[in-house]
Amino acid sequence: MSSKILIIGACGQIGTELTTKLREIYGVQNVIASDINTRNLDLVNAGPFEIIDAKNYNAIKDCCKNNNVKTVYLMAALLSATGEKYPMEAWDLNMNSLFHVLNLAKDKVIDKIFWPSSIAVFGPTTPCKNTPQHTICEPTTVYGITKQVGERWCEYYYKKLNIDVRSIRYPGIISHKAMPGGGTTDYAVEIYHEAIKTGKYDCFLSKDTELPMMFMEDAINATINLMQADAERLTIRSSYNLAAINFTPKQIFESIKNHIPEFSITYKPDFRQAIADSWPSSIDDSQARKDWDWKHEFDLEAMTKVMLKNLRQKYNTDH
Ligand SMILES: NC(=O)c1ccc[n+]([C@@H]2O[C@H](COP(=O)([O-])OP(=O)(O)OC[C@H]3O[C@@H](n4cnc5c(N)ncnc54)[C@H](O)[C@@H]3O)[C@@H](O)[C@H]2O)c1
């Protein structure tokens, strides 16, 4: 039996599109999608799918052994905003799921892991402009703490046990398929939906809050390119900084307004403002560009065009 890929948390914002792309590359039957529920029916019906709780070591192990899975993409997590509401659940899921896949590699069941970190590893004491790869990381959210600790464990397993684990510190990811799952950068997805559906948006961040962001297609390409890169070229086994575009709510609003002149916005910052304020406004990703030739394609204008085109089709409107 040829070796297979397992995606845990495949029904989420990133997992949905990662699964589709991996299936295009490796074949539908070679990529098993899994999640804790079947809410994303398009994905569930598109190829092999299993219900797997990322906190259940035996469930992951059985799936890997039964299907000769050798590579795992661990996408299940509780994100930044939800993590602040359920801190212990975030710690439990984000840490234990990572230990499970790291230990599966240690036990030689699988031999390659992708685990995403986040710009949430940074905090208010981090230099916030052009944040370096190696810098102060004092995160103030539970989510950020889990990502920071996760990075340390990834590097530890690589150095002590030679586990091939690879990671990216994703910025805010913008996409038009699955909705985002409770992060602080969700506004940059919601704003496109509301522009098409209602012509107005009430933003939960203030108008000048600049954050690092990326269009989904770039994020998926980065993920797959990192996983395909020669191991010898990789110098970072904690997690790579990754960047594409930085913008504020006002700038994304103006980019949409160029296409929908009657679009309007109001700003009503909530608890997510404090989270956003603790994160960098731009990221230095030169190490990723050097080590595995990372290059982004989409700027704000290109992304706005694709988002509006696809959402107009989705909502069946030429608004
Ligand atoms: N989306 C972003 O902007 C962003 C930015 C930085 C990092 N990340 C990271 O990328 C990864 C994927 O993020 P996403 O945006 O796709 O998240 P998401 O919330 O959209 O999806 C997570 C998926 O995990 C599933 N899940 C939850 N609990 C589970 C469990 N116990 N067992 C199995 N599955 C479970 C959910 O049902 C969901 O389908 C996460 O590690 C996240 O921290 C995302």
Side-chain angles (χ1 to χ4, degrees), residues 146-183:
T146 66
K147 292 297 185 186
Q148 183 197 34
V149 176
E151 287 189 8
R152 297 290 88 227
W153 279 107
C154 288
E155 191 182 88
Y156 182 90
Y157 269 69
Y158 171 72
K159 285 194 168 155
K160 297 275 172 177
L161 301 160
N162 204 23
I163 301 302
D164 190 358
V165 52
R166 304 175 182 206
S167 178
I168 284 171
R169 290 170 176 157
Y170 287 134
I173 308 294
I174 294 147
S175 63
H176 51 80
K177 290 193 179 137
M179 287 302 281

Side-chain angles (χ1 to χ4, degrees), residues 8-16 34-37 39-40 52-56 74-80 82 93-94 97 114-120 143 147 168-174 178-186 213-214 216:
I8 301 174
C11 291
Q13 188 199 7
I14 301 176
T16 301
S34 74
D35 207 289
I36 199 166
N37 60 51
R39 73 191 158 117
N40 186 339
I52 294 178
D53 182 346
K55 291 188 285 186
N56 184 335
L74 173 57
M75 309 310 284
L78 233 63
L79 271 55
S80 57
T82 317
L93 172 61
N94 297 6
S97 59
F114 178 78
W115 172 79
S117 184
S118 160
I119 56 164
Y143 174 70
K147 292 297 185 186
I168 284 171
R169 290 170 176 157
Y170 287 134
I173 308 294
I174 294 147
M179 287 302 281
T184 301
T185 53
D186 291 8
M213 302 277 190
M214 182 175 290
M216 181 65 85

